[in-house]
Amino acid sequence: ITSLIVPNKLGSARYAGAARQLLTEQHHLFAIRDYSRIPVFPVAVYPIVYWVRKALPPTDTLVCYEQVQSVVDGIEQVNASSLQIDHSPKPWPIFAHPIATNVMARLRELPTLGQITQVIGAATVAEAYQLQPLLRDGPRDAPGLKFINSGTIDRYQIRWGEKPCRYLGQVYQHPHLPQELLNSLSPKRLHQATQPKLVLAGMTRALEGILDRDGTLLAGKSTTVITASLDLFYLLALLNSKLLSFVYQSLYGGDRLQGGYLRIGPPQIRTLPIVNPDLSISDERQGYQTLIALSQQRCQEQIAPEIAQELEDQIDSWVYRLYGLSDREIAGIEGRSD
């Protein structure tokens, strides 16, 4: 038997797939204790502890999963559950609600976002540093592209000009790339910026996305850009829903940071299950059209908070219906949503 303290990235990082496969295909992984939500060490690390036995893996694939909530006077407070893990390099679904097992198994039958859309990172590290000297903090209506990053993205709402934008050590109120400097971007990035697209924030507790309908936003590094032939308002409703945040947390919660923040990037976003509606089926057509209409209303500026919440509740209800969830499954997800 061996037990090691390791980063929680073991549970979901793509580069850790071979290690997950080794632990589950050739050994009996029988327990995981998750310390990632509490400050165990004086530095910012997010550890888990695993126990594995040198033996053939059992057929039931159930692992004891303990999530440590706090440590008081040396006594750990934990939530314990059973975790179903495949004998494969797939991410470990770090969840504590039994509803998730059935929901996730069924949703795996759907196409993924990466199969029906283009999902890419907004910029490489090198591009991010090349862009920074070109940004200007000018008048609100200055010609060019408005620059946004994760800090200026809320669910459905672009906060450019409302929130300070912090980028590579600089703070901007109205960051933009001037019209005369647009050709400083590569043709690929200029095309990406000037077409209709969705932009997802890169580090949040739940998925948060906005729609750039007119192609006027230049997205910064750490955000994810999505383009598609499907209606973007429809995709925006799905990606901002409680259901897909629940799915993301179930798949990639093992890579969670302290405070509940998730690392969100294109490789993970591409795996999300998406209902690609068959418009010849009345229920799917109705769900598709209704979600488009509700998403359009939610994207309106200066919407009252109570109206915004009502619209999001309606969107969640229609998403559950479109994905075929039962009342019991919905109750489980609602109880887990951040």
Side-chain angles (χ1 to χ4, degrees), residues 30-303:
F30 60 90
I32 299 170
R33 180 166 282 202
D34 185 351
Y35 290 88
S36 63
R37 299 192 181 194
I38 62 173
V40 178
F41 299 112
V43 293
V45 293
Y46 311 98
I48 63 174
V49 178
Y50 71 79
W51 286 264
V52 64
R53 178 180 292 115
K54 188 176 181 180
L56 290 176
T59 57
D60 60 14
T61 69
L62 288 178
V63 176
C64 175
Y65 173 65
E66 297 177 326
Q67 187 182 86
V68 181
Q69 302 295 312
S70 65
V71 179
V72 180
D73 297 329
I75 300 174
E76 297 175 356
Q77 304 295 322
V78 302
N79 285 337
S81 62
S82 293
L83 188 69
Q84 187 156 13
I85 291 179
D86 293 335
H87 297 160
S88 75
K90 292 179 182 178
W92 294 342
I94 306 296
F95 48 74
H97 200 292
I99 292 296
T101 302
N102 294 332
V103 171
M104 296 301 296
R106 194 167 68 254
L107 296 190
R108 287 194 184 100
E109 303 300 319
L110 294 172
T112 64
L113 187 65
Q115 291 172 333
I116 59 177
T117 71
Q118 183 181 33
V119 183
I120 57 175
T124 65
V125 173
E127 288 171 331
Y129 280 94
Q130 292 166 2
L131 174 64
Q132 199 273 335
L134 305 176
L135 294 179
R136 302 291 184 268
D137 199 351
R140 189 179 182 89
D141 57 352
L145 292 171
K146 298 176 181 178
F147 176 81
I148 61 169
N149 63 3
S150 293
T152 48
I153 294 173
D154 284 347
R155 189 177 289 116
Y156 295 101
Q157 297 296 315
I158 304 164
R159 299 305 184 188
W160 184 90
E162 299 175 23
K163 291 183 175 181
C165 175
R166 293 175 173 80
Y167 189 68
L168 297 180
Q170 300 293 319
V171 181
Y172 306 86
Q173 189 62 38
H174 300 104
H176 69 280
L177 181 66
Q179 186 73 30
E180 62 272 17
L181 296 179
L182 294 186
N183 288 334
S184 301
L185 297 175
S186 68
K188 171 187 173 182
R189 296 302 184 188
L190 183 59
H191 175 70
Q192 173 184 300
T194 54
Q195 65 177 320
K197 57 188 176 292
L198 303 182
V199 184
L200 300 186
M203 189 174 292
T204 54
R205 293 187 178 92
L207 298 180
E208 293 184 348
I210 54 95
L211 170 60
D212 177 18
R213 193 185 322 186
D214 302 317
T216 60
L217 300 179
L218 175 61
K221 185 185 176 299
S222 83
T223 63
T224 297
V225 172
I226 300 169
T227 56
S229 56
L230 272 175
D231 192 287
L232 291 177
F233 280 109
Y234 170 71
L235 288 176
L236 184 65
L238 298 188
L239 289 167
N240 280 329
S241 69
K242 286 181 179 178
L243 175 59
L244 286 197
S245 280
F246 174 82
V247 170
Y248 195 97
Q249 290 161 1
S250 297
L251 289 172
Y252 303 108
D255 201 12
R256 189 190 298 265
L257 303 177
Q258 286 181 18
Y261 286 91
L262 298 163
R263 308 171 195 268
I264 296 169
Q268 297 80 24
I269 292 296
R270 291 189 190 107
T271 67
L272 293 176
I274 298 296
V275 173
N276 191 0
D278 183 344
L279 300 184
S280 67
I281 300 174
S282 60
D283 283 351
E284 293 192 18
R285 182 176 64 252
Q286 183 183 14
Y288 179 69
Q289 294 172 343
T290 302
L291 284 171
I292 291 172
L294 291 170
S295 182
Q296 289 173 337
Q297 295 177 59
R298 180 62 184 86
C299 287
Q300 294 176 3
E301 295 182 1
Q302 298 179 340
I303 189 169

